[in-house]
Amino acid sequence: MKLSDLRTDIEELLASAGYCHESATLAADVYLFAEAVGRDTQGVLKFFGPDAAHKKQFDYEPKVVKESSTSAFVDGGKCAGPLPAQIITNLAIDKALKNGMSVVTAN
């Protein structure tokens, strides 16, 4: 299977679970990276079985609850872990590039 086809399938599964397009794309990036570098337990495998990533109920999409120029707290909304993890990683990098350091956390 081509990675582009796998990306489409993952994004569609996440969208069917209620994730918006941007969140589905961001989470798909994480799952595909894990698969591409051989982290089988963190890639496509997460979409099989009773605890499949696209079957987990979440309260809402991750959102920034509190923020300053160098820090932020993100409420993950009970989403599958790769999505809030990637959001806080991107936010931490952006803040560190602009301000020289950052601390970003999530629940």
Side-chain angles (χ1 to χ4, degrees), residues 43-84:
V44 176
L45 185 62
K46 292 290 188 183
F47 291 90
F48 295 95
D51 292 330
H54 64 288
K55 293 180 181 176
K56 291 185 178 184
Q57 296 294 316
F58 61 95
D59 293 339
Y60 42 82
E61 300 231 2
K63 60 184 175 185
V64 177
V65 176
K66 198 169 190 179
E67 186 172 20
S68 74
S69 61
T70 58
S71 66
F73 173 68
V74 175
D75 182 342
K78 297 184 183 174
C79 288
L83 177 58

Side-chain angles (χ1 to χ4, degrees), residues 10-11 14-15 17 23 25 29 35 42 44-46 57-58 63 74-75 80 91 102 106-107:
I10 291 171
E11 288 175 356
L14 293 171
S23 293
T25 300
D29 287 343
E35 196 66 31
Q42 302 303 312
V44 176
L45 185 62
K46 292 290 188 183
Q57 296 294 316
F58 61 95
K63 60 184 175 185
V74 175
D75 182 342
L91 194 54
S102 69
N107 71 343

Side-chain angles (χ1 to χ4, degrees), residues 1-41:
M1 175 177 244
K2 294 180 192 176
L3 280 179
S4 60
D5 294 338
L6 185 56
R7 168 181 290 288
T8 300
D9 290 346
I10 291 171
E11 288 175 356
E12 287 175 359
L13 283 170
L14 293 171
S16 71
Y19 289 88
C20 72
H21 176 73
E22 182 181 357
S23 293
T25 300
L26 194 58
D29 287 343
V30 177
Y31 291 115
L32 287 172
F33 179 79
E35 196 66 31
V37 299
R39 298 295 302 221
D40 300 347
T41 60

